[in-house]
Amino acid sequence: MMDQQGKVNRRAVVLGVGMAAAAATAGFALRAGAGEPIRLRSRQTSYSFEGMQTHGLYSLQDAAPPPVLRMRQGVPVEIEVTNGVDEHTTMHWHGIRLPNAMDGVPYLTQFPIAPGERFRYAFTPPDAGTYWYHPHCMTMRQMAYGLTGLLIVEEQDDPGFDADIPLNLKDFRLDAAGRLLPYFTPRGAARGGTFGNLQTTNWQLNPRYDLPAGSLVRLRIAATDNTRVYRLMLPDIAGRVIAWDGHPLRDAIALPTAADPLWLSPGQRVDIAVQMPDTEGREVTLAAVLGPTPKPLATLRAIGPSQGRDLAEIAPLPRNPVSEPDLSTAERRSLVFGWSPDGAGQNNGFCGNSAYTFWSIDRQPWPGDAVSGTGAVATLSLGKTYIFKLQNESPNNHPIHLHGLALLPLRSNKRTLRQNWTDTILLMKGETVEVAFKADNPGDWAFHCHVIEHQKTGLAGYIHIG
Ligand code: C2O
Ligand code: CU
Ligand code: CU
């Protein structure tokens, strides 16, 4: 069910075994095939989280989360998105360095897709790795109610894992009867955001994946919640962090523990290679530090005789073709993220107006996607290297995301930054960070906080490269 291609036979076997043992599968996947587009249709649906029926969720399948999309590095793909709900939408391919017109940002790169209409996205993913997708119009509601999915770009050569498990971390906000609660509160939007109360992984509560003992598993963990910064731990395992925000590591990241959890903020991804325990029945648990006791998010259970594989068999992933910034010629810019100086709302046209403004970039709150004539927060020359100083003068965390490019973190006034390519960098309260990048992808690139309530109440803008 997971895949049709020969390469993943081992994976199919692994999942087949898992299903026999009534464990969870990592979700339905759609693979880009020669000539045929991937066809997606948004819809509202009902779904049962542990027995409670929740109505009004958004997905691309009935009674199931949005599928995992799989494609291959360097192979062109077409994705046709049909809007099956009664409000406008777009789809954005988070982290993919694609042509600007395919980026899915309403009014900036395309007109919103009206109810019943469709838009065909076409691009060639230049980088392998773990990415994701979500609407960029009516974003807050459509994402809060479920419309987020993983997008996996496979390496040209199979790195040799026995299984590949996408883990889409997302909270839902429900009442005791399973009904959806408001995803926006002015109080939340003006502070850290409005948090969900049900932590899910692939829309399940601590799903268990049965995997052969002693096998090598690639976990692809994505934080797709509107608000929550997950503090992850994966203790007592043989494993290695191998990629961050899609890209192979340049700078090592330690396996996260309870004492030293890994912060994964909205928009970010981490790939971890795990060597399953050799003993049948042993479990490995991914958990979040959340309240007094860690909250299990997903469990891997070793089954069958040991496959006897070793992490050392996995070579480092091949690097992606991201241009190195030329720091010697870099031009410097700085941007301040903070409170909004005015309280007017935003005009997002068909994409969800907001009555509130709380946030700003360089004291300018984003007036809304549909306001014409709004200038870029920075205008850059194609091919030049820039160092951006990003200063958070607010007491809240902001995962700052740039579309269409990859950023290299350089330094912070608060901590040692790991120099791994990123598209979403977490600015902690009071933190100033410098990032470098080569402006090699022309267009208007959305630049915003990925706490969606912050984005939609002013903390947004775009960068022009031309
Ligand atoms: Cu993941 Cu502009 O978004
Ligand atoms: Cu994005
Ligand atoms: Cu923010």
Side-chain angles (χ1 to χ4, degrees):
M1 159 168 122
M2 184 100 176
D3 284 293
Q4 291 96 333
Q5 297 222 333
K7 172 193 159 287
V8 284
N9 276 346
R10 274 180 304 173
R11 181 178 310 144
V13 168
V14 165
L15 289 172
V17 170
M19 283 185 292
T25 63
F28 181 64
L30 288 176
R31 172 175 291 280
E36 272 295 289
I38 291 179
R39 289 198 168 83
L40 304 176
R41 188 173 65 80
S42 60
R43 68 199 68 194
Q44 284 195 277
T45 190
S46 302
Y47 180 80
S48 158
F49 295 102
E50 296 246 300
M52 302 176 301
Q53 197 69 19
T54 300
H55 303 290
L57 293 163
Y58 282 64
S59 186
L60 300 165
Q61 312 185 82
D62 292 328
V68 173
L69 305 184
R70 288 187 174 268
M71 50 197 71
R72 182 154 303 208
Q73 182 179 22
V75 176
V77 61
E78 290 190 359
I79 308 174
E80 187 180 273
V81 175
T82 300
N83 183 1
V85 297
D86 59 8
E87 63 200 18
H88 285 64
T89 195
T90 63
M91 205 62 88
H92 168 60
W93 320 98
H94 181 123
I96 305 282
R97 299 185 303 124
L98 39 57
N100 194 234
M102 297 292 119
D103 199 38
V105 180
Y107 304 102
L108 193 64
T109 71
Q110 71 171 91
F111 197 74
I113 311 169
E117 310 229 299
R118 62 184 82 154
F119 187 93
R120 195 176 278 210
Y121 296 91
F123 56 88
T124 302
D127 304 317
T130 303
Y131 302 92
W132 65 293
Y133 64 92
H134 60 82
H136 224 281
C137 172
M138 301 304 296
T139 317
M140 205 175 343
R141 169 153 66 215
Q142 295 186 6
M143 281 180 61
Y145 289 176
L147 223 176
T148 71
L150 268 75
L151 190 167
I152 293 173
V153 183
E154 294 173 345
E155 288 80 14
Q156 277 159 356
D157 296 310
D158 183 350
F161 290 97
D162 299 299
D164 186 314
I165 308 286
L167 300 173
N168 181 354
L169 308 185
K170 174 164 174 23
D171 293 5
F172 290 87
R173 220 169 116 76
L174 306 176
D175 70 11
R179 284 182 299 244
L180 289 162
L181 288 167
Y183 45 80
F184 175 92
T185 60
R187 189 188 156 80
R191 295 177 176 77
T194 300
F195 287 84
N197 52 15
L198 187 74
Q199 281 70 50
T200 71
T201 301
N202 301 334
W203 286 28
Q204 291 169 289
L205 277 58
N206 186 19
R208 192 189 78 216
Y209 299 101
D210 283 353
L211 297 154
S215 65
L216 295 176
V217 177
R218 180 177 188 164
L219 300 181
R220 301 176 181 266
I221 309 169
T224 77
D225 190 55
N226 283 18
T227 308
R228 186 177 300 285
V229 179
Y230 292 87
R231 284 176 293 151
L232 299 176
M233 50 186 275
L234 187 62
D236 309 320
I237 58 144
R240 186 164 79 223
V241 178
I242 56 172
W244 180 258
D245 278 358
H247 301 280
L249 294 194
R250 303 157 56 110
D251 214 353
I253 296 177
L255 271 185
T257 59
D260 190 15
L262 180 72
W263 290 49
L264 198 69
S265 60
Q268 295 180 323
R269 292 86 62 210
V270 64
D271 287 34
I272 302 180
V274 171
Q275 183 184 321
M276 288 298 291
D278 286 314
T279 315
E280 167 137 42
R282 277 277 309 278
E283 292 183 347
V284 165
T285 300
L286 174 73
V289 180
L290 216 170
T293 45
K295 178 108 188 166
L297 296 176
T299 299
L300 313 178
R301 186 175 68 164
I303 54 165
S306 176
Q307 307 289 303
R309 297 204 61 197
D310 192 290
L311 270 183
E313 294 166 35
I314 301 286
L317 297 170
R319 65 178 295 274
N320 284 324
V322 182
S323 307
E324 285 294 325
D326 176 4
L327 297 180
S328 67
T329 64
E331 197 176 297
R332 303 180 69 92
R333 299 289 172 92
S334 43
L335 294 169
V336 175
F337 304 91
W339 288 95
S340 158
D342 87 64
Q346 290 185 67
N347 172 7
N348 290 305
F350 289 115
C351 292
N353 294 327
S354 160
Y356 302 91
T357 293
F358 299 118
W359 302 97
S360 62
I361 301 180
D362 269 355
R363 326 257 177 248
Q364 295 297 317
W366 179 243
D369 300 344
V371 177
S372 57
T374 308
V377 296
T379 297
L380 311 180
S381 313
L382 185 63
K384 240 183 111 50
T385 291
Y386 293 86
I387 295 175
F388 271 36
K389 182 172 159 190
L390 309 175
Q391 192 184 338
N392 177 8
E393 57 176 22
S394 82
N396 300 99
N397 296 324
H398 300 287
I400 300 296
H401 171 50
L402 177 62
H403 289 210
L405 292 107
L407 308 170
L408 188 66
L410 297 179
R411 59 189 76 85
S412 152
N413 65 337
K414 291 215 150 181
R415 55 190 167 131
T416 307
L417 289 184
R418 297 181 185 96
Q419 298 201 345
N420 292 310
W421 295 117
T422 181
D423 49 61
T424 308
I425 186 152
L426 181 62
L427 294 191
M428 316 252 220
K429 55 182 168 193
E431 187 177 34
T432 298
V433 156
E434 285 183 4
V435 295
F437 61 100
K438 190 164 195 173
D440 61 355
N441 198 1
D444 289 329
W445 299 109
F447 183 61
H448 60 87
C449 180
H450 225 291
V451 171
I452 307 301
E453 279 164 292
H454 294 173
Q455 175 192 358
K456 293 299 176 189
T457 55
L459 218 167
Y462 70 95
I463 283 173
H464 176 78
I465 299 176

